[in-house]
Amino acid sequence: MAGRRRTINRKEQRADFEEPTEKAEEEETEEEDEEEDEEEEEEGEAEASEEAEGEDDDEGGGDDDDEDAPKKKKKKKVKEKKAPAPKRARAAKKAVRQKAIWVIFDNSSKQVETFPFNEKDAAEKLLAQKSEEKKGLYLQMVKVPMEEK
C-alpha cells in the first residue's frame, strides 16, 4: 500500500515560535484594553447585584454570594521593557612618557649594566669585555618611564 508522503510546512512551524511583530503586539494591547473594560463592567454589575441581594437578605447567609459571583479573571502582566543601561565613560589613560635605554642581561635575565640610548657603542664594548669572562650575556633595548623633574 503506497501512501502519499506528507510534506512539512516549515513556515507554519516557525510562525509558532517567532517573536510577534509590532502589529501583533499592538493588537494584543488593544485586546487587553478591551478585556479590562469588560472586567470593570462585570465588577460594577456584580457589586450592584450584591448590594441588591444584601438588602433582601436579613438572614445573614452571605456564604452563597461568593459562589454565585462571577470569578475574577487575572489580568495579564505586561512586561515593561527595561531602559538600556547608560554607557560608561572610560577614564582617559594618562600617557606616560618613556625613554629607551640599553641594558646588558646575563643568562638568568638579570640586569648587569644599563646605558643611555645614545651610548650604544660603550654598551657594546662592555658586553665584549664581559662576554670573555662570562658566557650568555646579551644586549637589549628597553623602554622605561621617564623620571619627572
Side-chain angles (χ1 to χ4, degrees):
M1 186 168 167
R4 192 175 89 186
R5 282 187 162 182
R6 293 185 183 181
T7 56
I8 300 171
N9 190 347
R10 304 273 184 202
K11 289 183 180 180
E12 289 178 4
Q13 289 181 344
R14 273 191 236 123
D16 295 339
F17 296 105
E18 288 182 350
E19 295 180 11
T21 59
E22 291 178 12
K23 291 181 180 178
E25 290 176 1
E26 290 175 5
E27 290 174 3
E28 288 177 8
T29 54
E30 289 175 4
E31 290 175 3
E32 290 174 2
D33 292 341
E34 290 174 4
E35 289 176 4
E36 290 175 5
D37 292 340
E38 290 174 4
E39 288 177 6
E40 290 174 1
E41 289 174 6
E42 289 176 3
E43 290 175 5
E45 291 173 3
E47 290 175 4
S49 63
E50 287 176 8
E51 289 175 4
E53 289 175 7
E55 293 172 1
D56 294 339
D57 284 340
D58 291 328
E59 299 172 350
D63 294 337
D64 295 334
D65 292 340
D66 294 337
E67 294 174 5
D68 295 338
K71 294 182 180 178
K72 295 181 182 178
K73 294 180 183 178
K74 292 184 179 178
K75 295 182 182 180
K76 294 181 182 178
K77 294 182 180 177
V78 179
K79 293 183 181 178
E80 296 178 13
K81 293 183 180 178
K82 293 183 179 177
K87 294 183 180 180
R88 287 188 252 164
R90 293 185 181 179
K93 293 183 180 179
K94 184 179 178 183
V96 178
R97 292 184 61 194
Q98 294 185 335
K99 65 179 181 178
I101 59 171
W102 294 106
V103 180
I104 297 175
F105 290 101
D106 65 357
N107 249 354
S108 60
S109 298
K110 292 182 181 176
Q111 290 186 4
V112 176
E113 191 70 34
T114 61
F115 295 92
F117 184 76
N118 59 358
E119 296 180 10
K120 184 177 180 182
D121 294 335
E124 288 176 343
K125 284 182 187 177
L126 183 66
L127 179 65
Q129 291 174 356
K130 296 266 186 176
S131 61
E132 291 174 2
E133 300 170 11
K134 190 175 183 182
K135 292 186 177 180
L137 297 175
Y138 60 95
L139 180 68
Q140 186 174 4
M141 183 189 75
V142 178
K143 291 184 178 180
V144 294
M146 289 184 82
E147 298 139 7
E148 295 183 19
K149 294 180 181 179

